[in-house]
Coordinates of all heavy atoms in Angstrom, one line a residue:
M2 N 4.5 40.4 63.2 CA 5.6 39.9 64.0 C 5.2 39.6 65.4 O 5.5 38.5 65.9 CB 6.8 40.9 63.9 CG 8.0 40.5 64.7 SD 8.9 39.2 63.9 CE 10.3 39.1 64.8
T3 N 4.4 40.4 66.0 CA 3.9 40.2 67.4 C 3.1 39.0 67.5 O 3.2 38.2 68.4 CB 3.1 41.4 67.9 OG1 3.9 42.6 67.7 CG2 2.7 41.3 69.3
D4 N 2.2 38.7 66.5 CA 1.4 37.5 66.5 C 2.3 36.2 66.5 O 1.9 35.3 67.1 CB 0.5 37.5 65.3 CG -0.6 38.5 65.4 OD1 -0.9 39.0 66.5 OD2 -1.2 38.9 64.3
Q5 N 3.4 36.3 65.7 CA 4.3 35.1 65.7 C 4.9 34.9 67.1 O 5.1 33.8 67.5 CB 5.4 35.3 64.6 CG 4.9 35.2 63.2 CD 6.0 35.5 62.2 OE1 6.9 36.2 62.5 NE2 5.8 35.0 61.0
I6 N 5.3 36.0 67.7 CA 5.9 35.9 69.0 C 4.9 35.3 70.0 O 5.3 34.5 70.8 CB 6.5 37.2 69.5 CG1 7.6 37.6 68.6 CG2 6.9 37.2 71.0 CD1 8.1 39.1 68.8
E7 N 3.7 35.8 70.0 CA 2.7 35.3 70.9 C 2.3 33.9 70.6 O 1.9 33.1 71.5 CB 1.4 36.2 70.9 CG 1.7 37.6 71.5 CD 0.5 38.5 71.3 OE1 -0.5 38.1 70.8 OE2 0.7 39.7 71.7
E8 N 2.4 33.4 69.4 CA 2.0 32.1 69.0 C 3.1 31.1 69.4 O 2.8 29.9 69.7 CB 1.8 32.0 67.5 CG 1.4 30.7 67.0 CD 0.0 30.2 67.5 OE1 -0.8 31.1 67.8 OE2 -0.1 29.0 67.7
R9 N 4.3 31.5 69.5 CA 5.4 30.6 69.8 C 5.2 29.8 71.1 O 5.3 28.5 71.1 CB 6.7 31.3 69.9 CG 7.9 30.4 69.9 CD 9.2 31.2 69.8 NE 9.1 32.6 70.2 CZ 9.9 33.5 69.9 NH1 11.0 33.3 69.2 NH2 9.8 34.8 70.4
P10 N 4.9 30.4 72.3 CA 4.7 29.6 73.5 C 3.5 28.6 73.3 O 3.6 27.5 73.8 CB 4.4 30.7 74.6 CG 5.0 31.9 74.1 CD 4.8 31.8 72.6
R11 N 2.4 29.0 72.7 CA 1.3 28.1 72.5 C 1.7 26.9 71.7 O 1.3 25.8 72.0 CB 0.1 28.8 71.8 CG -0.6 29.8 72.8 CD -1.9 30.3 72.1 NE -1.6 31.2 71.0 CZ -1.8 32.5 71.1 NH1 -2.2 33.0 72.1 NH2 -1.5 33.2 70.0
A12 N 2.5 27.1 70.7 CA 2.9 25.9 69.9 C 3.9 25.0 70.7 O 3.7 23.8 70.6 CB 3.7 26.4 68.6
V13 N 4.7 25.6 71.5 CA 5.6 24.8 72.3 C 4.8 24.0 73.3 O 5.0 22.8 73.6 CB 6.7 25.7 73.0 CG1 7.5 24.9 74.1 CG2 7.6 26.3 72.0
I14 N 3.9 24.7 74.0 CA 3.0 24.0 75.0 C 2.2 22.9 74.3 O 2.2 21.7 74.9 CB 2.0 25.0 75.6 CG1 2.8 26.0 76.5 CG2 0.9 24.3 76.4 CD1 2.0 27.3 76.8
A15 N 1.6 23.1 73.2 CA 0.8 22.0 72.5 C 1.7 20.8 72.2 O 1.3 19.7 72.4 CB 0.2 22.6 71.3
A16 N 2.9 21.1 71.7 CA 3.8 20.0 71.3 C 4.3 19.2 72.5 O 4.2 18.0 72.5 CB 5.1 20.6 70.6
L17 N 4.6 19.9 73.6 CA 5.0 19.2 74.8 C 3.9 18.4 75.4 O 4.1 17.3 76.0 CB 5.6 20.2 75.8 CG 7.0 20.7 75.5 CD1 7.4 21.9 76.4 CD2 8.1 19.6 75.5
Q18 N 2.7 18.9 75.4 CA 1.5 18.2 75.9 C 1.3 16.9 75.1 O 1.0 15.9 75.7 CB 0.3 19.1 75.9 CG 0.3 20.2 76.9 CD -0.8 21.2 76.8 OE1 -1.3 21.5 75.7 NE2 -1.3 21.7 77.9
R19 N 1.4 17.0 73.8 CA 1.2 15.8 73.0 C 2.2 14.8 73.3 O 1.9 13.6 73.4 CB 1.2 16.2 71.5 CG 0.0 16.8 71.0 CD 0.0 16.9 69.4 NE 1.2 17.6 68.9 CZ 1.3 18.9 68.7 NH1 0.3 19.7 69.0 NH2 2.4 19.4 68.1
I20 N 3.5 15.2 73.4 CA 4.6 14.2 73.6 C 4.4 13.6 75.0 O 4.6 12.4 75.2 CB 6.0 15.0 73.5 CG1 6.2 15.4 72.1 CG2 7.1 14.1 74.0 CD1 7.4 16.3 71.9
A21 N 4.1 14.4 76.0 CA 4.0 13.9 77.4 C 2.9 13.0 77.6 O 2.9 12.1 78.4 CB 3.9 15.1 78.4
R22 N 1.8 13.1 76.8 CA 0.7 12.2 76.9 C 0.9 10.8 76.2 O 0.2 9.9 76.4 CB -0.5 12.9 76.3 CG -1.0 14.0 77.2 CD -2.1 14.8 76.6 NE -2.4 15.9 77.5 CZ -3.0 17.0 77.1 NH1 -3.5 17.1 75.9 NH2 -3.2 18.0 77.9
V23 N 2.0 10.8 75.4 CA 2.3 9.5 74.6 C 3.4 8.7 75.3 O 3.3 7.5 75.3 CB 2.7 9.9 73.2 CG1 3.2 8.7 72.4 CG2 1.6 10.6 72.4
R24 N 4.4 9.4 75.9 CA 5.5 8.7 76.4 C 6.1 9.5 77.6 O 5.9 10.7 77.6 CB 6.6 8.4 75.4 CG 7.2 9.6 74.8 CD 8.2 9.3 73.7 NE 7.7 8.5 72.6 CZ 7.1 8.8 71.5 NH1 7.0 10.1 71.2 NH2 6.7 8.0 70.6
P25 N 6.9 8.8 78.5 CA 7.5 9.6 79.5 C 8.5 10.6 78.9 O 9.2 10.3 77.9 CB 8.4 8.5 80.3 CG 7.7 7.2 79.9 CD 7.1 7.4 78.5
T26 N 8.4 11.8 79.5 CA 9.1 12.9 78.9 C 10.0 13.7 79.9 O 9.5 14.0 81.0 CB 8.1 13.9 78.2 OG1 7.3 13.2 77.3 CG2 8.8 15.0 77.5
L27 N 11.2 14.0 79.5 CA 12.0 14.8 80.3 C 12.4 16.1 79.5 O 13.0 15.9 78.4 CB 13.3 14.1 80.7 CG 14.4 14.9 81.4 CD1 13.9 15.4 82.8 CD2 15.7 14.0 81.6
L28 N 12.1 17.2 80.0 CA 12.5 18.5 79.4 C 13.7 19.1 80.2 O 13.6 19.3 81.4 CB 11.3 19.4 79.4 CG 11.5 20.9 78.9 CD1 11.9 20.8 77.4 CD2 10.3 21.7 79.1
V29 N 14.8 19.4 79.5 CA 15.9 20.0 80.1 C 16.1 21.4 79.7 O 16.2 21.7 78.5 CB 17.2 19.2 79.8 CG1 18.4 19.9 80.4 CG2 17.1 17.8 80.3
L30 N 16.0 22.4 80.6 CA 16.2 23.8 80.3 C 17.6 24.2 80.9 O 17.8 24.3 82.1 CB 15.1 24.6 80.9 CG 13.7 24.3 80.5 CD1 12.7 25.1 81.3 CD2 13.5 24.5 79.1
E31 N 18.5 24.3 80.0 CA 19.9 24.6 80.4 C 20.2 26.1 80.3 O 19.7 26.8 79.5 CB 20.9 23.8 79.5 CG 22.3 23.8 80.0 CD 23.1 22.8 79.2 OE1 22.7 22.2 78.2 OE2 24.3 22.8 79.5
D32 N 21.1 26.5 81.2 CA 21.5 27.9 81.3 C 20.4 28.9 81.4 O 20.3 30.0 80.8 CB 22.4 28.3 80.0 CG 23.7 27.6 80.0 OD1 24.2 27.2 81.1 OD2 24.3 27.3 78.9
I33 N 19.4 28.6 82.2 CA 18.2 29.4 82.4 C 18.6 30.8 83.0 O 17.8 31.7 82.9 CB 17.1 28.7 83.1 CG1 17.5 28.3 84.5 CG2 16.5 27.6 82.4 CD1 16.4 27.9 85.4
H34 N 19.8 30.9 83.6 CA 20.2 32.1 84.2 C 20.4 33.2 83.1 O 20.5 34.4 83.4 CB 21.5 31.9 85.0 CG 22.6 31.4 84.3 ND1 22.7 30.0 84.0 CD2 23.7 31.9 83.7 CE1 23.8 29.8 83.3 NE2 24.4 31.0 83.1
L35 N 20.5 32.7 81.8 CA 20.7 33.7 80.7 C 19.5 34.2 80.1 O 19.5 35.0 79.2 CB 21.6 33.0 79.7 CG 23.0 32.5 80.1 CD1 23.6 31.7 79.0 CD2 23.8 33.6 80.6
L36 N 18.3 33.7 80.6 CA 17.0 34.2 80.0 C 16.8 35.7 80.1 O 16.9 36.2 81.2 CB 15.9 33.4 80.6 CG 15.7 32.0 80.2 CD1 14.5 31.4 81.0 CD2 15.6 31.7 78.7
A37 N 16.5 36.3 79.0 CA 16.1 37.8 79.1 C 14.7 37.9 79.5 O 14.0 36.9 79.6 CB 16.3 38.4 77.7
E38 N 14.2 39.1 79.8 CA 12.8 39.3 80.3 C 11.8 38.6 79.4 O 10.9 38.0 79.9 CB 12.6 40.8 80.5 CG 13.2 41.3 81.8 CD 12.7 42.7 82.1 OE1 11.5 43.0 81.8 OE2 13.5 43.5 82.5
G39 N 11.8 38.8 78.1 CA 10.8 38.3 77.2 C 10.8 36.8 77.3 O 9.8 36.1 77.3
A40 N 12.0 36.2 77.2 CA 12.1 34.7 77.2 C 11.7 34.2 78.6 O 11.1 33.1 78.7 CB 13.5 34.3 76.9
L41 N 12.0 34.9 79.7 CA 11.6 34.6 81.0 C 10.1 34.5 81.1 O 9.5 33.6 81.7 CB 12.2 35.5 82.0 CG 12.1 35.2 83.5 CD1 12.6 33.8 83.8 CD2 12.7 36.3 84.3
A42 N 9.4 35.5 80.6 CA 7.9 35.5 80.6 C 7.4 34.3 79.8 O 6.4 33.7 80.2 CB 7.4 36.8 80.0
E43 N 8.0 34.0 78.7 CA 7.5 32.8 77.9 C 7.8 31.5 78.7 O 6.9 30.7 78.7 CB 8.3 32.8 76.6 CG 7.8 33.8 75.6 CD 8.5 33.6 74.2 OE1 9.4 32.8 74.1 OE2 8.2 34.4 73.3
A44 N 8.9 31.4 79.3 CA 9.2 30.2 80.1 C 8.2 30.1 81.3 O 7.7 29.0 81.5 CB 10.6 30.3 80.7
A45 N 7.8 31.2 81.9 CA 6.8 31.1 83.0 C 5.4 30.7 82.4 O 4.7 29.9 83.0 CB 6.7 32.5 83.6
T46 N 5.1 31.2 81.2 CA 3.8 30.8 80.6 C 3.8 29.3 80.3 O 2.8 28.6 80.6 CB 3.6 31.6 79.3 OG1 3.5 33.0 79.6 CG2 2.4 31.2 78.6
I47 N 4.9 28.8 79.8 CA 5.0 27.4 79.4 C 5.0 26.5 80.7 O 4.2 25.5 80.7 CB 6.3 27.1 78.6 CG1 6.2 27.8 77.2 CG2 6.6 25.6 78.5 CD1 7.5 27.9 76.4
L48 N 5.7 26.9 81.7 CA 5.7 26.1 82.9 C 4.3 26.0 83.5 O 3.8 25.0 84.0 CB 6.7 26.7 83.9 CG 8.2 26.4 83.6 CD1 9.0 27.2 84.6 CD2 8.5 25.0 83.6
Q49 N 3.6 27.2 83.6 CA 2.3 27.2 84.1 C 1.3 26.3 83.4 O 0.5 25.6 83.9 CB 1.7 28.6 84.1 CG 0.3 28.8 84.7 CD 0.2 28.3 86.1 OE1 1.0 28.5 86.9 NE2 -0.9 27.6 86.4
A50 N 1.4 26.3 82.0 CA 0.5 25.5 81.2 C 0.8 24.0 81.3 O -0.1 23.2 81.1 CB 0.7 25.9 79.7
L51 N 2.0 23.6 81.7 CA 2.4 22.2 81.8 C 2.3 21.7 83.2 O 2.6 20.5 83.5 CB 3.8 22.0 81.3 CG 4.1 22.4 79.8 CD1 5.6 22.3 79.5 CD2 3.3 21.5 78.9
T52 N 1.7 22.4 84.1 CA 1.6 22.0 85.5 C 1.0 20.7 85.7 O 1.4 19.9 86.6 CB 0.9 23.1 86.3 OG1 1.6 24.3 86.2 CG2 0.8 22.8 87.8
D53 N -0.1 20.4 85.0 CA -0.8 19.2 85.2 C -0.4 18.0 84.3 O -1.0 17.0 84.3 CB -2.3 19.4 85.0 CG -2.9 20.4 86.1 OD1 -2.4 20.4 87.2 OD2 -3.8 21.2 85.7
E54 N 0.7 18.2 83.6 CA 1.1 17.2 82.6 C 2.1 16.2 83.4 O 2.8 16.6 84.3 CB 1.8 17.8 81.4 CG 1.0 18.7 80.6 CD -0.2 18.0 80.0 OE1 -0.1 16.8 79.7 OE2 -1.3 18.6 79.8
A55 N 2.2 15.0 82.9 CA 3.1 14.0 83.4 C 4.5 14.2 82.7 O 4.8 13.6 81.7 CB 2.6 12.6 83.2
L56 N 5.2 15.2 83.2 CA 6.4 15.7 82.5 C 7.4 16.0 83.6 O 7.1 16.7 84.6 CB 6.0 16.9 81.7 CG 7.1 17.7 81.0 CD1 7.5 16.9 79.8 CD2 6.5 19.0 80.6
S57 N 8.6 15.6 83.4 CA 9.7 16.0 84.3 C 10.5 17.1 83.7 O 10.8 17.0 82.5 CB 10.6 14.8 84.6 OG 9.9 13.8 85.3
I58 N 10.9 18.1 84.5 CA 11.6 19.2 84.0 C 12.9 19.4 84.8 O 12.8 19.5 86.0 CB 10.8 20.5 84.0 CG1 9.5 20.3 83.1 CG2 11.6 21.7 83.4 CD1 8.6 21.5 83.2
V59 N 14.0 19.5 84.2 CA 15.3 19.8 84.9 C 15.8 21.1 84.4 O 15.9 21.3 83.2 CB 16.4 18.7 84.5 CG1 17.7 19.1 85.1 CG2 15.9 17.3 85.0
C60 N 16.0 22.0 85.3 CA 16.5 23.4 85.0 C 17.9 23.5 85.5 O 18.2 23.1 86.7 CB 15.6 24.4 85.6 SG 13.9 24.4 85.0
V61 N 18.8 24.0 84.7 CA 20.2 24.1 85.0 C 20.6 25.5 85.0 O 20.4 26.2 84.0 CB 21.1 23.2 84.1 CG1 22.5 23.3 84.5 CG2 20.6 21.8 84.0
A62 N 21.2 26.0 86.0 CA 21.7 27.4 86.1 C 23.1 27.4 86.8 O 23.4 26.6 87.6 CB 20.7 28.3 86.8
R63 N 23.8 28.5 86.5 CA 25.2 28.6 87.1 C 25.2 29.1 88.6 O 26.1 28.8 89.3 CB 26.0 29.5 86.3 CG 26.4 28.9 85.0 CD 27.6 29.6 84.4 NE 27.9 29.0 83.1 CZ 29.0 28.3 82.9 NH1 29.8 28.1 83.9 NH2 29.2 27.7 81.7
N64 N 24.2 29.8 89.0 CA 24.1 30.3 90.4 C 22.7 30.3 90.9 O 21.8 30.2 90.1 CB 24.8 31.7 90.5 CG 24.1 32.7 89.5 OD1 23.0 32.5 89.1 ND2 24.9 33.7 89.1
V65 N 22.5 30.4 92.2 CA 21.2 30.3 92.8 C 20.5 31.6 92.9 O 19.3 31.6 93.0 CB 21.2 29.6 94.1 CG1 20.9 28.1 94.1 CG2 22.5 29.8 94.9
D66 N 21.2 32.7 92.8 CA 20.5 34.0 92.9 C 20.4 34.6 91.5 O 21.3 35.3 91.0 CB 21.3 34.9 93.8 CG 21.3 34.4 95.2 OD1 20.3 33.9 95.6 OD2 22.4 34.6 95.8
F67 N 19.3 34.2 90.8 CA 19.1 34.6 89.4 C 17.7 34.9 89.1 O 16.8 34.3 89.8 CB 19.7 33.6 88.4 CG 19.1 32.2 88.6 CD1 18.1 31.8 87.7 CD2 19.5 31.4 89.6 CE1 17.5 30.6 87.8 CE2 18.9 30.1 89.7 CZ 17.9 29.7 88.8
P68 N 17.3 35.7 88.2 CA 15.9 36.1 88.0 C 14.9 35.0 87.8 O 13.8 35.0 88.3 CB 16.0 37.0 86.8 CG 17.3 37.6 86.8 CD 18.2 36.5 87.4
P69 N 15.3 33.9 87.0 CA 14.3 32.8 86.8 C 13.9 32.1 88.1 O 12.9 31.4 88.1 CB 15.0 31.9 85.8 CG 16.0 32.7 85.1 CD 16.4 33.7 86.2
R70 N 14.7 32.2 89.1 CA 14.4 31.4 90.4 C 13.0 31.7 90.9 O 12.3 30.8 91.3 CB 15.5 31.7 91.4 CG 15.3 30.9 92.7 CD 16.4 31.0 93.6 NE 16.2 30.2 94.8 CZ 16.6 28.9 94.8 NH1 17.2 28.3 93.8 NH2 16.4 28.2 95.9
G71 N 12.6 33.0 90.7 CA 11.2 33.3 91.2 C 10.1 32.5 90.5 O 9.1 32.1 91.1
I72 N 10.3 32.3 89.2 CA 9.2 31.5 88.5 C 9.4 30.0 88.8 O 8.4 29.3 88.6 CB 9.2 31.8 87.0 CG1 10.4 31.3 86.3 CG2 9.0 33.2 86.7 CD1 10.3 31.2 84.8
L73 N 10.5 29.6 89.2 CA 10.7 28.1 89.4 C 10.4 27.7 90.8 O 10.1 26.5 91.0 CB 12.2 27.8 89.1 CG 12.7 28.0 87.7 CD1 14.2 27.7 87.7 CD2 12.0 27.2 86.7
E74 N 10.4 28.6 91.8 CA 10.2 28.2 93.2 C 8.9 27.4 93.4 O 9.0 26.4 94.1 CB 10.1 29.5 94.1 CG 11.5 30.1 94.3 CD 12.3 29.3 95.3 OE1 11.8 28.6 96.1 OE2 13.6 29.4 95.1
R75 N 7.8 27.8 92.8 CA 6.6 27.1 93.0 C 6.5 25.7 92.5 O 5.7 24.9 92.9 CB 5.4 27.9 92.5 CG 5.5 28.1 91.0 CD 4.6 29.1 90.4 NE 3.2 28.6 90.4 CZ 2.2 29.3 90.1 NH1 2.4 30.5 89.6 NH2 1.0 28.8 90.1
Y76 N 7.4 25.4 91.5 CA 7.5 24.0 90.9 C 8.6 23.2 91.5 O 8.8 22.0 91.1 CB 7.6 24.1 89.4 CG 6.6 25.0 88.8 CD1 7.0 26.3 88.3 CD2 5.3 24.7 88.7 CE1 6.1 27.1 87.7 CE2 4.4 25.5 88.1 CZ 4.8 26.7 87.6 OH 3.9 27.6 87.1
L77 N 9.5 23.8 92.3 CA 10.7 23.1 92.8 C 10.4 21.9 93.6 O 9.7 21.9 94.6 CB 11.5 24.1 93.6 CG 12.9 23.7 94.0 CD1 13.8 23.4 92.8 CD2 13.6 24.7 94.9
V78 N 10.9 20.7 93.2 CA 10.8 19.5 94.0 C 12.1 19.2 94.7 O 12.1 18.8 95.9 CB 10.4 18.3 93.0 CG1 10.4 17.0 93.8 CG2 9.1 18.6 92.4
E79 N 13.2 19.4 94.0 CA 14.5 19.1 94.6 C 15.5 20.1 94.0 O 15.5 20.4 92.8 CB 14.9 17.7 94.3 CG 16.2 17.3 95.0 CD 16.5 15.8 94.8 OE1 15.7 15.1 94.2 OE2 17.6 15.4 95.2
E80 N 16.4 20.5 94.8 CA 17.5 21.4 94.3 C 18.8 20.7 94.6 O 19.1 20.3 95.8 CB 17.5 22.7 95.0 CG 18.5 23.7 94.6 CD 18.4 25.0 95.3 OE1 17.3 25.3 95.8 OE2 19.4 25.8 95.2
I81 N 19.7 20.6 93.6 CA 21.0 20.0 93.8 C 22.0 21.0 93.4 O 22.0 21.5 92.3 CB 21.1 18.7 92.9 CG1 20.1 17.7 93.2 CG2 22.5 18.1 93.0 CD1 20.0 16.6 92.2
R82 N 22.9 21.3 94.4 CA 23.9 22.3 94.1 C 25.2 21.5 93.9 O 25.6 20.6 94.6 CB 24.2 23.2 95.4 CG 23.0 24.1 95.6 CD 23.3 25.0 96.8 NE 22.1 25.7 97.1 CZ 22.0 26.9 97.5 NH1 23.2 27.6 97.8 NH2 20.9 27.6 97.8
I83 N 25.9 21.9 92.8 CA 27.1 21.2 92.4 C 28.2 22.3 92.5 O 28.1 23.3 91.8 CB 27.0 20.7 91.0 CG1 25.9 19.6 90.9 CG2 28.3 20.1 90.5 CD1 25.6 19.1 89.5
V84 N 29.2 22.0 93.2 CA 30.4 22.9 93.3 C 31.5 22.5 92.4 O 31.6 21.4 92.0 CB 30.9 23.1 94.8 CG1 29.8 23.6 95.7 CG2 31.3 21.7 95.3
G85 N 32.3 23.5 92.0 CA 33.3 23.2 91.0 C 34.4 22.3 91.6 O 34.6 22.2 92.8
L86 N 35.1 21.6 90.7 CA 36.1 20.7 91.1 C 37.5 21.4 91.1 O 37.7 22.3 90.3 CB 36.2 19.5 90.1 CG 35.0 18.6 90.1 CD1 35.2 17.6 89.0 CD2 34.7 17.9 91.4
T87 N 38.3 21.1 92.0 CA 39.7 21.6 92.1 C 40.6 20.6 91.5 O 40.3 19.5 91.3 CB 40.1 22.0 93.5 OG1 40.1 20.8 94.3 CG2 39.1 23.0 94.2
S88 N 41.9 21.0 91.4 CA 42.9 20.1 90.8 C 43.1 18.9 91.8 O 43.5 17.8 91.4 CB 44.2 20.8 90.6 OG 44.7 21.4 91.8
G89 N 42.8 19.1 93.1 CA 42.9 18.0 94.1 C 41.9 16.9 93.9 O 42.1 15.8 94.3
H90 N 40.8 17.2 93.2 CA 39.8 16.2 93.0 C 40.2 15.2 91.9 O 39.6 14.1 91.8 CB 38.5 16.9 92.6 CG 37.8 17.5 93.7 ND1 37.8 18.9 93.9 CD2 37.0 17.1 94.7 CE1 37.1 19.2 94.9 NE2 36.6 18.1 95.5
A91 N 41.2 15.6 91.1 CA 41.6 14.8 89.9 C 42.5 13.7 90.4 O 42.8 12.7 89.6 CB 42.2 15.6 88.9
D92 N 43.0 13.7 91.6 CA 44.0 12.7 92.0 C 43.4 11.4 92.3 O 42.4 11.1 92.7 CB 44.8 13.2 93.3 CG 45.6 14.4 92.9 OD1 46.0 14.5 91.8 OD2 45.9 15.2 93.8

């Protein structure tokens, strides 16, 4: 079982590298604030391995103070904060 878990990030990295070398690629990681420690470590491994690839990555989280922020800081190009809409915005 452990071998399968360790193999998973390598397979994801290899697939994303192949795709990014063939065509423009956008990877969207949604709800990253929900990542548990194990998944967070895998995400960090994948991001590090894709550093030199021609690949755009959009990460979406509900708040700015969350554990994955530490692994994303070094790759951050732009941060866009979106605030919730109120009923007054619908008019």
